[in-house]
């Protein structure tokens, strides 16, 4: 029952499984799909290493229809879109550094979930950066 509001909300966007890339590649077990250096610049993914805390780095990724990847780099407040060859296609700003999960809607919008701090679902347009926010808790949403 606790996931019902999220499922109902996601049904507004007609979330369906992703289409497989046009030419799927058999990578075999243990194949490296993407290798990216640590850092905050272009073509890098950020991490936080602080004394007395756990290290934090990218928390989620999802495949793109073209065979590339979208990677949630919440430490740098962005989603990085990689081409199948590893080149950076886009760096999309996101509204919070506390997002934990990422997916794509069939229309290409980016779906981000923050279950712990803002308790919200953000829908981000990759082209414009515009974001809509939907609460995951509150009046009318059962626990």
């Amino acid at each position: 029952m606790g996931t019902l509001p999220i499922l109902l909300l996601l049904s507004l966007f007609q979330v369906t499984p992703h289409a497989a890339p046009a030419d799927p590649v058999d990578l075999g077990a243990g194949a490296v799909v993407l290798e990216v250096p640590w850092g905050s610049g272009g073509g890098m993914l950020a991490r936080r290493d602080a004394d007395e805390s756990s290290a934090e780095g990218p928390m989620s990724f999802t495949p793109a229809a073209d065979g590339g990847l979208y990677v949630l780099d919440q430490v740098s407040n962005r989603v990085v879109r990689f081409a199948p060859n590893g080149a950076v296609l886009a760096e999309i700003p996101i509204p919070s550094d506390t997002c934990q999960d990422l997916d794509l809607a069939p229309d290409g919008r980016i779906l981000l979930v923050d279950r712990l701090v803002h308790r919200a679902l953000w829908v981000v347009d990759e082209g414009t950066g515009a974001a809509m926010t939907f609460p995951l808790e509150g009046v009318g949403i059962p626990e």
Side-chain angles (χ1 to χ4, degrees):
M1 224 35 197
T3 59
L4 183 61
I6 296 171
L7 294 175
L8 291 175
L9 180 60
L10 292 179
S11 70
L12 296 174
F13 300 105
Q14 300 177 353
V15 174
T16 57
H18 300 296
D23 296 316
V25 177
D26 181 9
L27 298 173
V32 175
V33 175
L34 179 68
E35 191 167 340
V36 181
W38 292 119
S40 58
M44 300 176 165
L45 296 173
R47 69 178 175 186
R48 259 185 217 126
D49 285 324
D51 292 340
E52 304 291 328
S53 70
S54 297
E56 181 182 356
M59 292 190 127
S60 184
F61 65 91
T62 193
D66 66 0
L69 285 175
Y70 284 80
V71 179
L72 173 58
D73 185 13
Q74 77 287 347
V75 173
S76 292
N77 284 70
R78 64 186 178 170
V79 169
V80 183
R81 182 177 177 196
F82 291 95
N85 68 1
V88 174
L89 296 176
E91 294 182 2
I92 304 107
I94 61 173
S96 174
D97 69 349
T98 58
C99 296
Q100 296 100 17
D101 210 356
L102 157 80
D103 204 351
L104 296 177
D107 65 1
R109 290 182 291 176
I110 298 167
L111 306 173
L112 300 164
V113 175
D114 177 349
R115 299 177 315 275
L116 303 174
V117 177
H118 298 283
R119 295 186 174 113
L121 167 74
W122 282 286
V123 181
V124 179
D125 184 287
E126 181 177 346
T128 66
M132 294 183 293
T133 306
F134 298 92
L136 298 179
E137 66 177 11
V139 177
I141 301 176
E143 290 189 34

